[in-house]
Amino acid sequence: MVQPNVTTWWRGFVFLGFSSFGQLQVLLFVLFLSLYLITLTSNVFIIIVIRLDNHLHTPMYLFLSFLSFSETCYTLGIIPRMLSGLAMGDQAISYVGCATQMFFSASWACTNCFLLSVMGFDRYVAICAPLHYASRMNPILCAQLVGVSFLSGYLFGLGMTLVIFRLSFCSSHEIQHFFCDTPPVLSLACGDTGLSELGILILSLLVLLVSFFFITISYAYILVAILRMPSAEGRRKAFSTCASHLTVVIIHYGCASFMYLRPKASYSLERDQLIAVTYTVATPLLNPIVYSLRNRAVQTALRNAFRGNLLGKG
């Protein structure tokens, strides 16, 4: 294992992500803090509502609650550190701190992909085999699917972190980003990084394309089943149960594919930061908003919670 040079090991790294915004950093702090508080509150509230409302104790909402939990953990590893840098101007992070942040952010990001794939499989069983849904999507299988998603996410996150931090880093320790993501940290490595780039690409392909492949297969069967339904109302209801999941999938995989399925030479500070802000700040907020606006069961549970019925029972 190649050790980092002494300068990088002791001095760590410095984020330059928002350094060019000058006085606008105050505005960015207020904006990101507001979005983060809304995101955190929304996801935690979704988890609580699903936990307390017996009508939502189904596999679909179980997976949604774990997705909200995963998104919450993902933002906890990135946003508070970013806000601290904007507020106090301290953009330094230790070598170990950077590796730790990369591990957890990559792990939770991969877990999100696997959970979205599991949710696609759940919709497939619900629409294509409704009479066998309860027996097939039993609590044991659901627990296994969630467990495999989390375990796989951590293994892939560990693999990506090891691929990056086995390299030695040059005298420059300035990260052109606002957190320790793989592309900007990889760009600081010395020597030939071709093998490491290939390793990151392979791991990213395994996570994104394999999970997206299973989602695509699930929805191919779902589409066939919907088209065979005799009634237009039945087709509409069936599609509406998938619309929220599809919306989240398109945005999540679109941003992730742009960031990780491309060569090192195409990295761009301004463009990459915009995409990164989308999937670290906006996408985690998207889940509770989309599922709340498009799902009547969740809307009813939220109304009951606001009225105090659920919280009173808890």
Side-chain angles (χ1 to χ4, degrees):
M1 179 175 179
V2 180
Q3 295 295 331
N5 61 36
V6 176
T7 301
T8 302
W9 176 263
W10 286 107
R11 295 180 62 186
F13 301 97
V14 176
F15 296 123
L16 298 182
F18 299 110
S19 59
S20 61
F21 286 84
Q23 298 299 322
L24 289 177
Q25 291 188 39
V26 176
L27 178 61
L28 289 176
F29 173 81
V30 174
L31 175 62
F32 292 151
L33 177 61
S34 302
L35 290 174
Y36 178 62
L37 291 176
I38 296 173
T39 299
L40 191 63
T41 303
S42 301
N43 278 292
V44 170
F45 198 64
I46 285 288
I47 296 171
I48 294 174
V49 167
I50 292 175
R51 172 67 180 83
L52 295 179
D53 191 336
N54 292 330
H55 296 96
L56 301 181
H57 290 180
T58 64
M60 174 182 174
Y61 299 110
L62 170 72
F63 298 139
L64 174 59
S65 66
F66 277 107
L67 180 64
S68 293
F69 173 76
S70 180
E71 291 281 21
T72 300
C73 293
Y74 175 71
T75 58
L76 280 172
I78 298 174
I79 308 302
R81 179 63 188 78
M82 179 187 72
L83 292 173
S84 174
L86 286 171
M88 297 182 290
D90 180 16
Q91 298 290 1
I93 187 171
S94 68
Y95 180 87
V96 175
C98 186
T100 302
Q101 186 184 55
M102 180 180 293
F103 166 67
F104 282 108
S105 61
S107 296
W108 290 115
C110 294
T111 299
N112 291 341
C113 291
F114 295 128
L115 286 174
L116 287 171
S117 181
V118 168
M119 293 172 75
F121 173 72
D122 172 72
R123 291 298 83 206
Y124 155 72
V125 177
I127 293 176
C128 298
L131 298 179
H132 303 284
Y133 180 74
S135 60
R136 291 186 181 180
M137 299 303 295
N138 57 76
I140 295 177
L141 177 61
C142 291
Q144 291 173 340
L145 291 173
V146 171
V148 169
S149 297
F150 277 78
L151 178 61
S152 300
Y154 270 88
L155 290 176
F156 276 100
L158 178 61
M160 292 181 179
T161 305
L162 291 177
V163 168
I164 297 295
F165 283 91
R166 63 175 291 278
L167 299 169
S168 59
F169 295 92
C170 304
S171 56
S172 174
H173 56 281
E174 297 176 337
I175 300 178
Q176 302 289 330
H177 210 42
F178 59 87
F179 75 101
C180 289
D181 203 2
T182 51
V185 176
L186 179 60
S187 66
L188 300 180
C190 298
D192 183 10
T193 61
L195 189 60
S196 296
E197 289 183 54
L198 180 61
I200 292 295
L201 179 62
I202 291 174
L203 290 172
S204 300
L205 284 171
L206 286 173
V207 173
L208 294 173
L209 295 189
V210 171
S211 58
F212 188 72
F213 171 77
F214 283 110
I215 292 175
T216 303
I217 293 298
S218 296
Y219 274 101
Y221 282 103
I222 288 172
L223 180 61
V224 172
I226 290 176
L227 292 177
R228 288 177 176 174
M229 291 180 179
S231 109
E233 180 64 18
R235 291 194 295 269
R236 187 192 65 78
K237 288 183 177 179
F239 180 77
S240 67
T241 65
C242 304
S244 301
H245 179 250
L246 276 175
T247 302
V248 174
V249 165
I250 291 172
I251 295 178
H252 180 87
Y253 280 88
C255 293
S257 299
F258 178 83
M259 285 298 298
Y260 301 108
L261 301 184
R262 60 198 177 98
K264 174 182 173 182
S266 64
Y267 298 160
S268 167
L269 172 60
E270 293 78 10
R271 182 182 58 193
D272 290 2
Q273 279 194 117
L274 178 61
I275 298 297
V277 167
T278 300
Y279 71 75
T280 56
V281 179
T283 303
L285 177 60
L286 181 70
N287 295 335
I289 290 178
V290 169
Y291 279 96
S292 297
L293 292 178
R294 299 192 61 90
N295 191 291
R296 291 184 179 179
V298 174
Q299 290 174 10
T300 300
L302 288 172
R303 282 195 296 268
N304 291 336
F306 279 119
R307 292 170 185 165
N309 294 340
L310 282 177
L311 298 180
K313 293 178 183 178

